[in-house]
Amino acid sequence: MRHIHQATPATILLKNTINVRLVIICMAAASVGLSMVIVSIAKFLLLLCGLTTLLLSRRNQQGIQPPPTRFTHIAVLLCLLAFAASLLWSIAPQADALASLAKYGKLLVIVLMVSLIRDRREATYALGAFVVAQVFLVASSWMLFFRLPVPWASSNMAASHYAVFSSYLDQGIISTVFAAVCWHLRELAPGRFGKNAAVLLALAALLNVLFVLDGRSGQVVAIALLSVAIMWQLPGKYRAAVVVLPFLLALGLFLSSTKVRERLSLVKTEASSYSTQGVSSTSTGLRLGYWRQALTVISERPLIGAGVGSWRSEHNRLQRIQNPAHQDIHGVGTPHQEYLQWGVQLGIPGILLFCGLMLSMLKDTLRMEKPYARAAQSALLAFAVACLFNSSLYDAMIGDFFCVVVGLLLALGLSKASHEVVATPELKPAP
């Protein structure tokens, strides 16, 4: 005779009786790319759900199914421990150091997404919520482009640059990743016309990035993801062409897209002005100046860095050396390059740690089936490329986006289908 267990708060939260957990996961998946207020609320609920699940399961002696990722979780933990340890030698004011540590805490979102999603059915629901929200975002941008009323657009770049909730830089990267997810998972789209709809969505998002939005980072990310998507479609013996594909795509877009041509030409002009005249007031000039300062800090403290949250203090110090009348910048700030930012704070080991974090995620994707692996690897490639030009993990909107999406795609690819989940065997009383 089967033993009947009484439902507890833990079983309600962990199973499908009243699936508050899944609702919160879907909210988190849908929030990224929308208003920052919605993102913050979703992150808070996700953290609360994770803590409640952990506490209730321990109280009721119910184990949580171990997450399927092995390398990513360890890498996230090591990164957070390294930043926490650097509080001991950080030259930053305590407020700056703690604020920076809290910003890197968003890495826990990856762990939470993977740990709270129990099977592929739940991951698919979360993916659906993500797609619906991204369709809303892309459609809103196209409406702005065609001068249709979009009363929910809260970005100060809405009228001029067609960004809906954030900057055109963030939205360009976000929509490019969305296009890649639609393309690589198109075979999984439900319905008779699901595959065609997924391809159309990918095309609409990609055209929006390349011909409507102004973000150069999004355009570069789009070229990178297009290159690997084409490579994966080629027979094995032709895949070496991926070396020249980005250059061919960049040339084709330069000739066909006014947006791409204007923005890439502007990079050349701004870089030339910085190198010949020292003009650092432009977007490219500022980045080049910041990167030079970051390399100086790393060369001065190559082994342990200046500690978490130290960029502002180091930037002001170097500026005062060049100009004693320099007015200190306020806020923590970034050098607009994630790799160098980790180097400033943790030295050369910090750069290696950041690369190790991405490699650990890549290692986990190698255990996935092909469509899921390619979608997750595209998101990782977008993250790696975006971090070359921006602090894409540290920054609020785009950092939250990548943590949620990477966590969701890892959970989707590594979790089992619902019918494959094996129930925990019941313990029989001792004779």
Side-chain angles (χ1 to χ4, degrees):
M1 182 176 181
R2 294 185 61 185
H3 184 65
I4 301 176
H5 294 277
Q6 184 179 2
T8 64
T11 58
I12 291 176
L13 191 61
L14 288 170
K15 297 184 179 180
N16 296 326
T17 309
I18 301 176
N19 214 334
V20 177
R21 172 182 48 79
L22 182 55
V23 172
I24 294 174
I25 291 168
C26 291
M27 285 179 60
S31 69
V32 288
L34 303 182
S35 168
M36 196 61 221
V37 175
I38 299 176
V39 175
S40 299
I41 293 173
K43 280 199 305 180
F44 173 75
L45 292 175
L46 191 68
L47 177 61
L48 188 63
C49 180
L51 292 174
T52 305
T53 302
L54 179 62
L55 292 174
L56 291 179
S57 63
R58 285 186 174 181
R59 181 180 302 176
N60 293 275
Q61 298 182 346
Q62 280 226 326
I64 301 177
Q65 187 178 9
T69 55
R70 294 175 293 183
F71 303 101
T72 300
H73 285 61
I74 295 173
V76 166
L77 179 61
L78 289 176
C79 290
L80 294 179
L81 287 176
F83 280 116
S86 73
L87 288 169
L88 298 175
W89 64 82
S90 177
I91 66 168
Q94 186 178 30
D96 288 359
L98 293 176
S100 292
L101 182 60
K103 280 182 171 289
Y104 286 116
K106 66 169 66 79
L107 285 170
L108 290 174
V109 170
I110 301 174
V111 177
L112 288 171
M113 290 294 287
V114 175
S115 300
L116 291 175
I117 294 175
R118 300 185 62 216
D119 55 44
R120 191 162 290 168
R121 179 190 67 88
E122 294 187 349
T124 302
Y125 279 131
L127 179 65
F130 168 77
V131 169
V132 169
Q134 294 304 312
V135 169
F136 174 73
L137 180 65
V138 173
S140 298
S141 181
W142 277 109
M143 290 172 66
L144 288 171
F145 177 72
F146 288 113
R147 304 298 178 185
L148 298 174
V150 185
W152 53 86
S154 58
S155 172
N156 56 9
M157 298 181 177
S160 57
H161 298 289
Y162 318 117
V164 185
F165 297 108
S166 59
S167 67
Y168 58 75
L169 186 154
D170 289 349
Q171 187 170 325
I173 298 171
I174 288 170
S175 293
T176 300
V177 175
F178 170 60
V181 170
C182 288
W183 172 257
H184 293 299
L185 299 181
R186 63 191 184 279
E187 298 289 349
L188 307 177
R192 181 179 177 183
F193 302 104
K195 178 180 176 180
N196 294 333
V199 172
L200 288 176
L201 288 176
L203 185 61
L206 195 60
L207 291 176
N208 185 260
V209 172
L210 296 175
F211 294 92
V212 175
L213 298 174
D214 286 328
R216 288 171 287 194
S217 298
Q219 294 165 357
V220 174
V221 170
I223 290 172
L225 297 195
L226 272 171
S227 298
V228 296
I230 294 172
M231 178 199 72
W232 279 325
Q233 296 299 312
L234 294 174
K237 61 181 179 179
Y238 296 117
R239 289 188 175 179
V242 73
V243 176
V244 298
L245 273 175
F247 301 100
L248 295 176
L249 287 171
L251 177 61
L253 290 170
F254 184 85
L255 297 174
S256 61
S257 171
T258 303
K259 291 287 184 182
V260 174
R261 182 165 58 253
E262 289 177 351
R263 300 300 286 174
L264 292 182
S265 298
L266 187 59
V267 171
K268 180 182 177 181
T269 302
E270 292 175 348
S272 177
S273 298
Y274 176 81
S275 62
T276 58
Q277 305 172 30
V279 177
S280 59
S281 58
T282 63
S283 175
T284 304
L286 282 172
R287 280 174 167 79
L288 292 174
Y290 288 159
W291 297 351
R292 186 175 180 179
Q293 289 180 339
L295 289 171
T296 300
V297 176
I298 295 171
S299 67
E300 293 174 351
R301 302 169 183 263
L303 297 181
I304 59 173
V308 63
S310 58
W311 165 251
R312 178 174 71 92
S313 299
E314 289 293 82
H315 167 75
N316 288 331
R317 176 180 69 84
L318 294 174
Q319 286 293 95
R320 283 194 297 269
I321 292 175
Q322 297 179 355
N323 178 19
H326 166 71
Q327 296 293 322
D328 289 353
I329 62 171
H330 300 286
V332 180
T334 71
H336 293 279
Q337 222 258 29
E338 193 71 48
Y339 301 92
L340 293 179
Q341 183 162 351
W342 284 55
V344 167
Q345 298 174 105
L346 300 175
I348 294 175
I351 300 176
L352 297 176
L353 185 62
F354 182 57
C355 293
L357 173 65
M358 291 187 288
L359 287 175
S360 68
M361 298 175 189
L362 178 62
K363 183 75 172 178
D364 280 325
T365 66
L366 298 179
R367 300 160 49 209
M368 299 180 182
E369 298 170 48
K370 186 181 294 184
Y372 306 110
R374 289 180 175 177
Q377 289 163 8
S378 296
L380 287 174
L381 177 60
F383 179 59
V385 173
C387 286
L388 291 171
F389 311 105
N390 307 281
S391 296
S392 295
L393 175 61
Y394 186 86
D395 291 342
M397 174 68 76
I398 195 65
D400 292 320
F401 171 81
F402 275 118
C403 288
V404 169
V405 169
V406 169
L408 172 58
L409 293 175
L410 286 175
L412 181 68
L414 292 172
S415 59
K416 296 180 179 180
S418 303
H419 64 275
E420 295 176 323
V421 177
V422 180
T424 303
E426 297 175 357
L427 297 177
K428 296 182 179 180

